[in-house]
Amino acid sequence: MIAVETLALLRRTDTPTICNALEHVMGGRTAEGFTKSPVVAADPGLPPIVGYARTARIRASSPAQKPAAEVRALRMAYYEYAVSGPGPNVMVIEDTDWPHCIGGFWGEMQVAQHKGLGVAGTLTNGVLRDLGMLDPGYQVIAGSVGPSHAFVHVTEIDVPVTVFGLNVRPNDLIHADRHGGVLIPAEHVERLPAAIDIVIRKEQPILKAARAPGFTVEKLRAAWLEADQIK
């Protein structure tokens, strides 16, 4: 389980900085482990969501092929699964209609229920609706906005999923904000706080020089050299 101090730090740090810090920990850049398509945030002003993935798949383009009682039973099992474990939990939901998602699972009703159950937030490639009616403080990072729920229903829970090109397994540690999401490998969590500190400090000489009057290429070169000395 992630340390309380580390969790608090991650919640204060935007997702692009987490991506940079992970590159520092890994010793180089990568093209994997993060979302690769544009996203829509229910509230762009909310802080990042951080937690362990509770995964599911949904579909809205056609009705459920099971009896209503089985569909309801799976939905209740989904909610029980959503709050299982020590938390915090983040719902990571793959809409299998992607890239032509048409029905919104996430709206006023689901946000109220998940927030009330203590879920930390949602990352989904599916549709978001009911803007302006969502309970404040619960973030949904979605793939699009639409008006209808169509035939949306849960088809599977607790399975590997793919959202925006990011492969997520149950219990993976997820960090997401209005930019998208990134998977934090368990073996990198302990080194991440120090890496975040270094990434932020290395940016400061360049930002300070660039925002000061009289900025020149010579000053930029000097700022880069200063940044290079920060280890």
Side-chain angles (χ1 to χ4, degrees), residues 8-18 48 50 175 177 196 200:
L9 174 62
L10 296 179
R11 285 172 170 162
R12 296 194 302 269
T13 307
D14 62 75
T15 303
T17 299
I18 297 298
V50 185
H175 188 287
D177 67 8
I196 292 170
I200 293 174

Side-chain angles (χ1 to χ4, degrees), residues 164-224:
F164 308 116
L166 174 63
N167 298 319
V168 179
R169 297 167 300 176
N171 296 314
D172 280 344
L173 183 60
I174 299 297
H175 188 287
D177 67 8
R178 60 185 176 174
H179 302 93
V182 63
L183 190 155
I184 302 177
E187 64 269 24
H188 297 333
V189 172
E190 186 174 339
R191 296 176 58 194
L192 207 51
I196 292 170
D197 176 67
I198 290 174
V199 164
I200 293 174
R201 287 192 291 114
K202 286 176 75 71
E203 292 177 344
Q204 295 313 303
I206 300 167
L207 292 174
K208 182 179 179 182
R211 290 166 175 165
F215 184 52
T216 64
V217 173
E218 289 74 21
K219 291 181 179 180
L220 174 60
R221 184 177 292 110
W224 272 103

Side-chain angles (χ1 to χ4, degrees), residues 128-149:
L128 172 67
R129 65 179 193 155
D130 295 336
L131 299 181
M133 302 170 65
L134 304 176
D135 287 25
Y138 189 93
Q139 183 67 287
V140 179
I141 308 297
S144 60
V145 174
S148 175
H149 54 204

Side-chain angles (χ1 to χ4, degrees), residues 60-61 95-103 125 127 144:
S61 59
D95 188 328
T96 57
D97 290 328
W98 174 268
H100 304 294
C101 303
I102 65 167
N125 62 349
V127 179
S144 60

